[in-house]
Amino acid sequence: AQKVTQAQTEISVVEKEDVTLDCVYETRDTTYYLFWYKQPPSGELVFLIRRNSFDEQNEISGRYSWNFQKSTSSFNFTITASQVVDSAVYFCARRGSYGGSQGNLIFGKGTKLSVKP
Amino acid sequence: DAMVIQNPRYQVTQFGKPVTLSCSQTLNHNVMYWYQQKSSQAPKLLFHYYDKDFNNEADTPDNFQSRRPNTSFCFLDIRSPGLGDAAMYLCATSRDSQGGYEQYFGPGTRLTVT
């Protein structure tokens, strides 16, 4: 199976620290899509970002930034100056470009981030 | 503003008593998904509808069924819930099941089986 690996099960930081969540994926597809979702304690999965396999530009959105490197099959997520509200489980996911099961989202196991005041 | 709505947010049912979970969307998306998520695990896809076409995952138990009477609504029926079916059930929608379209998730229904 083409897995998504989030090696960090839990991370705990103190507010204002920077934190990077790692994501490594496997794929045989030439075209694919990568996603990050946030799941706060309320339970709803919130879409954060999508990245296409043919666009390796890194992206910054406020305190969030993403580093996509095809050479290492990684799509890491950094939160700068973390805040308590960032406490959540973060899921990295991959999706193929075709239909059927290849179009399914393959999730990593998630990283639980705790930001302490 | 709600885009994907799930009712109820919390559902308690008895072992073996059929239960139906509901999902509606205001996004007019073609695809609606049902996921099961157990504690400290990633969501697991049960099935999805592309318009009226039903797509079941190979490992989804027969105990789980779904209906999509129209574009806006989709239901998850659990015919005979077991204790192992206690979980969060997430509904999601997407414009298409192919390509880079993101999925939008509802708040989930937490099912307890007593």
Side-chain angles (χ1 to χ4, degrees):
Chain A
Q2 301 179 59
K3 297 188 304 183
V4 175
T5 301
Q6 294 180 256
Q8 305 145 310
T9 306
E10 290 194 41
I11 300 176
S12 182
V13 299
V14 176
E15 210 170 16
K16 297 184 185 176
E17 283 186 27
D18 299 347
V19 58
T20 295
L21 310 182
D22 297 333
C23 174
V24 174
Y25 61 92
E26 299 174 7
T27 186
R28 292 185 291 272
D29 297 331
T30 52
T31 301
Y32 52 90
Y33 305 88
L34 301 169
F35 303 83
W36 276 96
Y37 282 87
K38 173 183 180 180
Q39 189 173 39
S42 59
E44 180 174 353
L45 274 158
V46 178
F47 166 72
L48 295 178
I49 190 172
R50 176 191 64 235
R51 216 74 192 120
N52 307 328
S53 55
F54 43 86
D55 182 2
E56 281 193 78
Q57 276 196 345
N58 293 325
E59 182 154 341
I60 298 174
S61 176
R63 294 184 299 107
Y64 295 172
S65 62
W66 291 269
N67 183 357
F68 175 32
Q69 293 197 352
K70 285 178 77 169
S71 59
T72 55
S73 297
S74 65
F75 185 41
N76 296 336
F77 173 30
T78 297
I79 302 175
T80 303
S82 59
Q83 299 176 2
V84 173
V85 294
D86 296 327
S87 297
V89 179
Y90 290 86
F91 289 97
C92 179
R94 183 196 67 79
R95 187 182 199 187
S97 62
Y98 302 105
S101 60
Q102 288 184 320
N104 292 345
L105 270 179
I106 306 298
F107 285 94
K109 292 186 176 182
T111 297
K112 183 177 181 180
L113 175 65
S114 298
V115 182
K116 303 187 186 311
Chain B
D1 263 18
M3 296 186 290
V4 184
I5 303 159
Q6 291 189 244
N7 285 306
R9 294 293 309 277
Y10 300 90
Q11 176 74 56
V12 180
T13 190
Q14 292 177 340
F15 183 94
K17 185 174 181 181
V19 65
T20 294
L21 309 182
S22 149
C23 177
S24 63
Q25 56 140 338
T26 59
L27 296 163
N28 204 34
H29 282 170
N30 294 314
V31 193
M32 295 187 77
Y33 303 84
W34 279 104
Y35 289 86
Q36 180 193 64
Q37 186 180 26
K38 296 190 176 180
S39 182
S40 302
Q41 295 184 21
K44 178 181 180 299
L45 182 64
L46 296 173
F47 27 58
H48 74 272
Y49 271 96
Y50 192 112
D51 288 335
K52 294 183 179 180
D53 292 333
F54 178 68
N55 298 271
N56 198 26
E57 292 303 301
D59 57 354
T60 298
D62 292 341
N63 197 26
F64 291 87
Q65 304 285 320
S66 186
R67 297 170 284 133
R68 189 179 185 186
N70 55 52
T71 301
S72 301
F73 284 86
C74 195
F75 300 98
L76 170 62
D77 301 308
I78 308 177
R79 295 194 295 190
S80 182
L83 298 178
D85 297 328
M88 174 77 91
Y89 289 88
L90 295 164
C91 175
T93 75
S94 181
R95 193 177 300 277
D96 202 302
S97 60
Q98 300 183 43
Y101 295 103
E102 59 268 25
Q103 295 182 16
Y104 292 93
F105 285 80
T109 294
R110 186 167 296 283
L111 178 68
T112 301
V113 182
T114 61

